[in-house]
Amino acid sequence: MQDKILLIEDSVALSMLLKTRLSEETEAAIFHCDSMAAADALMQAHDFTLALTGLNLPDAPKGEILALLSGRKVPAIVFTATVDDEARKRYAEKKIIDYIVKDGHRTVDAVVRTVQRILNNKLFSVLVVDDVRAARSGLVEILERQNFRVSEAHSGKQALEILAQDPTIQLVITDYHMPDMDGYELTRRICDSRSSEDLRVIGISSSTDRLLSASFLKAGASDFVYRPFVPEELQCRIDNNIETLKQLKRLRELAERDHLTGLPNRRSFFERTRALMEVINETHECGAVAILDIDHFKKINDTLGHDAGDRALKKLAELLHTMCDEQQHIPARLGGEEFAVFLRGLDAHAAYQFCEELREQVEKNGRQLSGSSLALTISLGVVEIEKGEPFDNQLNAADQLLYLAKANGRNRVYSDMMITEGLQKIGRNG
């Protein structure tokens, strides 16, 4: 479902800037109005993810809009000229998401960044662990207002069970004092099974022991907050940990993904297939590996330019990803115009059929893939995984079959099954 943002601002210039930027830089639908009455009517007609509002409106000059938004349970971001202790207290009472101080041209940038953060928060799951229901509910309310997906646990044991069932949880906020397992032990157990690159832990406690924070951090927690906490501070700490997770994910993608096609790169392909090879070697499962490249790719680059070549590589990668995704096969770009695919659970016959279907799809859509009158085709070599044989050797065997496919006319699939059947036929005839 598309996010909807309610923009409440009577300044024509500011509202136009905000609406334009938000439309360009988010995928949300933007609804604008310039009065509290109009905002009320829109909220009756639509469910909004959040609202952006000024405080002084023609029919609500003293910030009455905040009470309306709170009553309608629409999370609000306020932009204001000044912030003091009284304003902070007021914002806390009305439970706004955030506030932004108007600062000329920076205001629009700050609003857009904040909105993007709130909208992206729905991609993150947070687990709140506390045996006291009231304390747990308070944290859940803060997180849900920030657009996070939230789960709750009333004990350390239940928290571990939830984490085992839901690997998408990326942040845990845990109290220290709990009857079955304290927060320190829970943090230690979480960090034994999950990397800090995938999951962050924030400890929280009303204890007066000032060394407790150090204990949490040594157990593997990423942060710690003492109660009573300032909601604004807790929000900033949560945001910082989520931002760290985003940056770590981005770095991991840069290390593991081919920059042009988005497919796993050579290094990532070998790392991921190593674990699958162990499964095949130790069980009755089968698999296959294929190598393919684009026929006469140099001609595309020389005739149409390298940009056209890059576009062809991207389109082929998209087709590969689509065909492999349903069956959880692993496609990768090894370099240049050469790709590889690890085919999970396929024997020699099934692997050949998959490669032949891929070849036919490329041939059928050749001009669309190349973006020109030069129709794209591919050649492939595929072998069934031989148990106990090093993966490098099996990849080399597929590469030799690819060479045969290209040497015998291109736009074809060569497999070890074909070679075996050919030798058997020669033996029978001999």
Side-chain angles (χ1 to χ4, degrees):
M1 184 182 295
Q2 186 182 26
D3 290 304
K4 296 180 181 179
I5 297 174
L6 176 58
L7 172 59
I8 313 165
E9 174 58 48
D10 62 334
S11 165
V12 176
L14 180 57
S15 60
M16 285 183 64
L17 276 172
L18 284 170
K19 189 172 182 179
T20 300
R21 285 284 302 278
L22 290 169
S23 297
E24 291 174 348
E25 300 185 37
T26 74
E27 296 180 356
I30 314 300
F31 294 75
H32 171 247
C33 62
D34 58 6
S35 68
M36 189 166 79
D40 192 20
L42 283 170
M43 284 187 281
Q44 292 180 50
H46 301 277
D47 292 325
F48 289 101
T49 306
L50 60 92
L52 295 166
T53 184
L55 290 176
N56 304 314
L57 300 171
D59 57 349
K62 297 182 180 180
E64 296 91 341
I65 187 64
L66 296 183
L68 176 63
L69 291 167
S70 179
R72 295 284 187 188
K73 296 184 178 179
V74 178
I77 298 172
V78 172
F79 29 91
T80 180
T82 58
V83 177
D84 53 26
D85 290 343
E86 185 62 31
R88 278 193 169 95
K89 181 179 177 182
R90 186 181 180 193
Y91 298 156
E93 289 173 353
K94 300 302 180 184
K95 299 178 180 179
I96 71 164
I97 305 176
D98 208 344
Y99 61 84
I100 294 168
V101 179
K102 291 182 180 179
D103 186 18
H105 67 280
R106 298 180 186 176
T107 303
V108 175
D109 291 338
V111 170
V112 172
R113 284 196 302 271
T114 303
V115 169
Q116 288 174 328
R117 172 173 59 80
I118 299 300
L119 296 181
N120 287 334
N121 281 350
K122 68 183 177 183
L123 304 174
F124 290 86
S125 295
V126 183
L127 174 62
V128 176
V129 190
D130 199 315
D131 62 316
V132 179
R133 183 174 181 178
R136 195 170 67 243
S137 298
L139 286 169
V140 169
E141 184 183 16
I142 291 172
L143 290 161
E144 288 182 339
R145 207 158 59 234
Q146 294 287 323
N147 205 30
F148 288 107
R149 301 196 306 264
V150 187
S151 301
E152 300 179 54
H154 57 71
S155 67
K157 181 176 181 291
Q158 186 185 30
L160 292 174
E161 290 172 352
I162 292 173
L163 287 169
Q165 296 168 3
D166 187 357
T168 68
I169 292 172
Q170 293 168 284
L171 180 67
V172 175
I173 302 177
T174 178
D175 187 39
Y176 176 69
H177 291 291
M178 291 183 291
D180 66 330
M181 182 189 311
D182 63 36
Y184 171 88
E185 178 63 18
L186 174 60
T187 299
R188 191 186 64 77
R189 292 197 189 185
I190 291 172
C191 294
D192 282 346
S193 60
R194 295 281 296 273
S195 164
S196 62
E197 295 180 5
D198 299 316
L199 184 146
R200 315 284 283 181
V201 178
I202 299 178
I204 192 166
S205 179
S206 55
S207 171
T208 57
D209 182 1
R210 306 309 293 181
L211 295 177
L212 189 58
S213 58
S215 297
F216 259 95
L217 295 172
K218 286 186 175 180
S222 306
D223 211 337
F224 185 88
V225 181
Y226 282 101
R227 281 193 171 104
F229 56 79
V230 178
E232 192 177 334
E233 178 192 359
L234 178 63
Q235 176 188 319
C236 289
R237 290 179 182 272
I238 291 169
D239 291 343
N240 288 340
N241 278 279
I242 293 296
E243 185 60 32
T244 298
L245 286 171
K246 290 179 184 176
Q247 294 298 331
L248 289 170
K249 181 181 178 182
R250 176 64 177 153
L251 289 172
R252 190 160 55 243
E253 287 177 349
L254 289 172
E256 296 176 352
R257 297 280 169 179
D258 172 60
H259 72 284
L260 179 65
T261 64
L263 293 178
N265 58 23
R266 186 184 190 92
R267 173 174 166 270
S268 175
F269 180 70
F270 275 89
E271 287 181 352
R272 294 175 66 177
T273 54
R274 188 179 299 121
L276 295 173
M277 285 294 295
E278 290 177 2
V279 173
I280 289 173
N281 287 331
E282 295 172 3
T283 66
H284 296 295
E285 288 191 29
C286 59
V289 61
I291 291 186
L292 62 111
D293 71 13
I294 299 174
D295 297 327
H296 303 295
F297 184 68
K298 187 176 183 297
K299 188 175 181 180
I300 294 176
N301 279 334
D302 291 346
T303 305
L304 304 173
H306 288 279
D307 286 345
D310 287 348
R311 286 193 294 272
L313 290 169
K314 288 181 188 177
K315 288 182 179 295
L316 177 58
E318 289 170 6
L319 176 61
L320 261 176
H321 176 75
T322 300
M323 289 191 61
C324 291
D325 193 44
E326 291 182 1
Q327 301 180 56
Q328 295 186 320
H329 301 321
I330 302 175
R333 183 187 178 199
L334 299 185
E337 70 271 28
E338 189 173 61
F339 296 81
V341 186
F342 190 96
L343 299 163
R344 296 180 176 182
L346 301 190
D347 61 14
H349 287 273
Y352 176 82
Q353 290 301 321
F354 177 91
C355 290
E356 182 60 23
E357 182 183 350
L358 174 61
R359 186 200 63 76
E360 289 175 354
Q361 284 294 320
V362 173
E363 184 179 36
K364 179 181 176 182
N365 300 286
R367 287 185 172 83
Q368 181 184 347
L369 290 169
S370 71
S372 74
S373 59
L374 295 174
L376 207 70
T377 62
I378 58 172
S379 299
L380 304 95
V382 58
V383 297
E384 184 176 358
I385 296 297
E386 185 176 340
K387 293 180 185 291
E389 188 72 19
F391 185 64
D392 282 353
N393 291 358
Q394 315 210 42
L395 204 62
N396 287 335
D399 195 39
Q400 291 300 313
L401 290 167
L402 169 62
Y403 174 80
L404 288 174
K406 295 178 81 69
N408 285 277
R410 293 183 169 84
N411 189 25
R412 61 196 63 216
V413 180
Y414 265 55
S415 75
D416 54 342
M417 174 189 70
M418 294 168 59
I419 302 298
T420 301
E421 290 177 350
L423 290 174
Q424 290 173 345
K425 185 177 181 181
I426 291 172
R428 288 194 298 270
N429 292 338

